[in-house]
Amino acid sequence: MPLGFMDSMLRIDLTKHTINTEELSREVLKKWLGGTGLGVKYMFDEVDPLTAWNDPENRVVMATGPLAGTSIKGSGNYCVVSKGPMTGGLATTQANGYFGAFLKFCGYQGLVLQGQSPEWVYIYIDEDRVEIKSAGHLVGLDTVQTQEALHQEYALKPTQLSVCCIGPAGENMVRFACLAGDYGHVAAHNGVGAVLGAKKVKAIAVKRGKKRVTVHDQGALRELAIQMNEAARSTPPGGDCFRWGTNAGHPVLHKIGGLPVKNLTTSIFPECVDYDGKVLREKFEYKKKPCWGCNFSHCGSLKVKSGPYQGFETDEPEYEAMVATGPLIGITDPVLSLVLADRIDRLGIDCNETGWLVAWVMECFEKGYITANDLDGLEMTWGNFDHTKSLLENVALRKGFGSLLAEGVMRAAKKIGGSALECAVFTEKGNSPRGHDHRVIWYEYLDTCVSSTGTIETTGGGINPKQHDLEPVSDPFSWEQIAGQNAALSGRRVFEDSLGICRISAAEDINLTVQALQAATGDEFTRESAMQTGKRIVNLMRVYNVKAGITAENDKPSPRYASAPVDGPGAGRPVGVVFEQMKERYYELMGWDKKTGMPLPETLKALGLSDII
């Protein structure tokens, strides 16, 4: 067995109702690692890029990496890779919790789902005991109810059985349905929950096994785990996140104009102080609920102390979920945001796409582009909590106008057309931004538009360029500098997403991460070879998506997304004016054709991809 890895992948054919294991070679593991890399390799080899996302021939690859289940803090991470409904190209999305570690403790690096079940099923994994079981009793349950039902069925605690599942939205193949597990951990992007719904897979339950991950140098890995964790804690914004979670970002982003407010019609949200993580944990009753092997106070539950919702308890929403249910849609009470965020997770829909969708509907309602008659009687005024909650149910169940909205912002806006289309926020591939106003965060703006994953690919959370011997960007509104730095750093995040660890609690310093990979596997890795691995994965994704019909014309923002902020620190800076120049420069620096975005033969050859030229 290769050190750091488990040498088996589970392959489950839902059409034939068969379960097999297949061996992973050391060469494949060293070249693609795990997580995103391994999943993309499977997709490239097995799924024709022109295959529809809901075709039985599509795959769902759930894989973890060589550092999962080790002494690294937060090493329960896993990645889902498939062909996504939002973009029609690759979906790669990650989640933390226990699932990745438990898979390895059962002896598997990951699993591949293919085919389509004739009836609803769930997968149960307990080391060598792997079963496809009827899920008839789970259909219609939300994601929390589904997890609770399976924990009761097997008489196991959440720390003994990791359950990842879809909610009603996945069952109804809402294009932005997600996969939720471990009570609060969501693989959200590009509709992977809808793909599971098409395959009629309600859940995957993995019991904590007794197998252990064998590593090359356990002592060195333990020491590096401490150093990696300390680097994550001591480097901004990691310190705030260590203490208060990701909601510490609200006032920080508001200060620079990066908080998205009312569908980007303004950048002003004075109530941002009420959404600060420190304030939230003082306002609510907080209980720490860490991921596998993690010491951060990043994940936990919140309980309402007083008012109409006294006693209401839910997993603490991440920053993006609180943005989607707060400033983006005009709600200023964090209690109401908390309740809506909980409903979004239970229904099993991506909070980012949901936030932009509801915000767009509200602006269209305000301006008369969509009426209450269109919305099945709902009055979608800014901040309308009750009717927003009803709208979410309609979307998840594809009820009435909700069926159109279940297609996501881009498709719904293009269907209605006219002025409604002009105020919708999306990229022409079909994905939505994360919970930021990217019009003042140009590095993430470019990344969102050109990414092959269905979400950001290069920049997530910000990277210290000095770790790569680069000087920080001196002007955040210089398209030349942004294009250059994004191209130089491309590959790092994809490399990290292939390791099976959490960026927040561990992967702050690329040099320490590379040393940990060496200690785990015994293989020679350098920062340069790690970045080469990441760029190899990025380019393979790019080739796949181009073959799927995603061209340079799809790598661009909608009109509202390309507009200039009307107020706040970024007022009057129209990123859309320079976007095409920035994009072409990025293509050129990536070794892609400047006009088409297709990787050039010499680029592929340099990355060890000569066989696909």
Side-chain angles (χ1 to χ4, degrees):
M1 181 183 296
L3 295 171
F5 297 95
M6 313 311 282
D7 59 3
S8 292
M9 286 285 285
L10 270 176
R11 184 178 292 272
I12 301 172
D13 191 315
L14 298 158
T15 301
K16 298 178 181 177
H17 216 268
T18 58
I19 301 168
N20 294 292
T21 58
E22 53 194 37
E23 188 174 330
L24 292 166
S25 71
R26 184 179 180 86
E27 291 71 29
V28 166
L29 291 171
K30 186 171 183 180
K31 189 171 184 178
W32 302 103
L33 296 177
T36 297
L38 193 58
V40 169
K41 175 62 173 169
Y42 266 95
M43 289 295 297
F44 192 90
D45 288 348
E46 298 187 10
V47 181
D48 187 313
L50 297 178
T51 300
W53 66 269
N54 55 357
D55 191 295
E57 285 304 306
N58 191 13
R59 307 285 195 262
V60 175
V61 185
M62 302 175 70
T64 188
L67 296 182
T70 69
S71 53
I72 303 297
K73 305 296 184 184
S75 57
N77 180 281
Y78 71 99
C79 181
V80 186
V81 183
S82 188
K83 200 165 191 290
M86 294 300 289
T87 68
L90 286 170
T92 81
T93 180
Q94 296 76 40
N96 291 298
Y98 298 96
F99 192 85
F102 284 14
L103 261 182
K104 289 185 79 172
F105 297 160
C106 283
Y108 305 109
Q109 196 64 33
L111 59 93
V112 180
L113 296 173
Q114 63 189 68
Q116 184 180 58
S117 174
E119 59 184 12
W120 284 101
V121 297
Y122 73 93
I123 311 300
Y124 178 74
I125 302 171
D126 178 5
E127 296 196 15
D128 296 332
R129 177 190 169 194
V130 182
E131 299 174 284
I132 304 172
K133 307 193 73 170
S134 173
H137 60 302
L138 302 175
V139 174
L141 299 183
D142 69 33
T143 59
V144 172
Q145 291 168 337
T146 301
Q147 293 174 73
E148 289 174 342
L150 288 174
H151 286 134
Q152 291 172 11
E153 187 172 327
Y154 290 96
L156 293 171
K157 299 176 183 178
T159 52
Q160 298 170 311
L161 182 73
S162 177
V163 179
C164 291
C165 62
I166 61 173
E171 293 176 21
N172 291 296
M173 289 183 278
V174 172
R175 279 188 185 262
F176 48 100
C178 63
L179 180 60
D182 294 326
Y183 298 99
H185 298 281
V186 180
H189 301 286
N190 210 351
V192 292
V195 183
L196 283 178
K199 294 186 177 301
K200 291 197 180 305
V201 175
K202 177 66 175 174
I204 302 97
V206 185
K207 185 179 178 182
R208 179 178 175 177
K210 297 180 180 178
K211 298 181 181 179
R212 289 293 174 263
V213 182
T214 304
V215 299
H216 171 67
D217 190 334
Q218 186 66 263
L221 190 62
R222 285 200 184 100
E223 178 58 35
L224 284 161
I226 295 170
Q227 294 178 42
M228 291 165 71
N229 187 241
E230 183 55 37
R233 291 173 55 179
S234 60
T235 306
D240 287 340
C241 187
F242 171 73
R243 290 184 292 273
W244 310 116
T246 55
N247 283 302
H250 285 268
V252 176
L253 282 157
H254 185 259
K255 185 176 181 180
I256 65 169
L259 197 68
V261 185
K262 289 188 173 181
N263 205 40
L264 305 188
T265 58
T266 178
S267 299
I268 309 301
F269 188 69
E271 297 83 359
C272 70
V273 294
D274 298 325
Y275 284 73
D276 185 354
K278 184 176 187 296
V279 174
L280 288 176
R281 292 186 182 180
E282 291 172 347
K283 180 181 180 67
F284 301 108
E285 184 180 317
Y286 171 74
K287 183 188 298 181
K288 186 175 178 180
K289 291 173 64 178
C291 299
W292 172 258
C294 186
N295 64 338
F296 265 47
S297 296
H298 165 217
C299 299
S301 64
L302 296 178
K303 187 175 182 179
V304 180
K305 295 180 181 178
S306 61
Y309 285 94
Q310 183 177 356
F312 178 86
E313 186 173 6
T314 182
D315 271 68
E316 181 181 44
E318 296 280 3
Y319 158 86
E320 290 173 340
M322 290 297 277
V323 163
T325 57
L328 194 51
I329 63 174
I331 286 179
T332 59
D333 183 347
V335 174
L336 300 183
S337 295
L338 189 74
V339 174
L340 283 180
D342 175 80
R343 197 68 202 134
I344 286 170
D345 277 359
R346 284 174 174 267
L347 291 170
I349 44 180
D350 172 22
C351 67
N352 287 292
E353 183 71 22
T354 300
W356 292 109
L357 180 73
V358 174
W360 170 70
V361 169
M362 286 178 167
E363 183 178 347
C364 287
F365 184 85
E366 178 185 50
K367 295 177 176 176
Y369 308 150
I370 298 175
T371 67
N373 188 55
D374 296 323
L375 292 163
D376 309 299
L378 298 177
E379 300 276 341
M380 290 304 295
T381 51
W382 291 112
N384 191 322
F385 167 79
D386 291 326
H387 286 202
T388 296
K389 194 174 180 183
S390 296
L391 185 72
L392 297 180
E393 303 287 338
N394 290 348
V395 170
L397 299 176
R398 284 189 173 269
K399 179 182 176 183
F401 195 70
S403 187
L404 173 61
L405 299 180
E407 295 295 295
V409 176
M410 183 188 78
R411 290 172 177 83
K414 289 188 174 183
K415 178 71 174 178
I416 295 173
S419 298
L421 177 58
E422 292 298 308
C423 60
V425 176
F426 57 87
T427 78
E428 287 294 335
K429 287 195 293 289
N431 59 312
S432 62
R434 307 291 282 263
H436 306 120
D437 188 342
H438 287 155
R439 299 174 303 169
V440 298
I441 310 174
W442 285 17
Y443 63 86
E444 201 161 301
Y445 185 96
L446 173 64
D447 190 13
T448 300
C449 290
V450 302
S451 164
S452 295
T453 66
T455 181
I456 54 175
E457 176 181 284
T458 293
T459 57
I463 297 173
N464 181 357
K466 291 186 176 181
Q467 293 177 9
H468 297 265
D469 301 325
L470 300 170
E471 287 301 313
V473 168
S474 60
D475 179 0
F477 301 107
S478 165
W479 65 265
E480 296 99 328
Q481 289 189 54
I482 296 297
Q485 183 151 294
N486 274 27
L489 296 176
S490 176
R492 170 162 169 178
R493 290 310 195 196
V494 172
F495 163 73
E496 291 165 352
D497 288 341
S498 301
L499 299 178
I501 58 174
C502 174
R503 293 179 191 168
I504 291 174
S505 62
E508 168 57 36
D509 188 321
I510 182 69
N511 299 299
L512 293 174
T513 304
V514 169
Q515 291 176 51
L517 181 59
Q518 288 190 126
T521 65
D523 291 325
E524 287 296 322
F525 282 96
T526 63
R527 185 185 68 193
E528 289 71 26
S529 68
M531 293 296 289
Q532 184 89 338
T533 299
K535 288 183 184 297
R536 181 182 303 123
I537 299 165
V538 166
N539 278 268
L540 193 66
M541 288 194 289
R542 187 77 191 183
V543 171
Y544 187 94
N545 280 3
V546 171
K547 292 172 73 175
I550 298 174
T551 68
E553 285 300 304
N554 302 110
D555 283 353
K556 67 179 184 182
S558 66
R560 171 61 62 79
Y561 194 21
S563 66
V566 297
D567 53 25
R573 292 185 179 273
V575 62
V577 173
V578 298
F579 177 73
E580 286 299 321
Q581 295 167 280
M582 183 163 59
K583 182 177 78 172
E584 286 193 13
R585 180 59 175 156
Y586 176 79
Y587 284 175
E588 182 180 31
L589 293 171
M590 286 294 292
W592 300 348
D593 184 275
K594 284 178 61 175
K595 297 299 181 183
T596 67
M598 172 63 93
L600 297 170
E602 54 266 33
T603 301
L604 298 175
K605 184 177 180 180
L607 293 169
L609 297 173
S610 298
D611 56 318
I612 70 168
I613 291 174

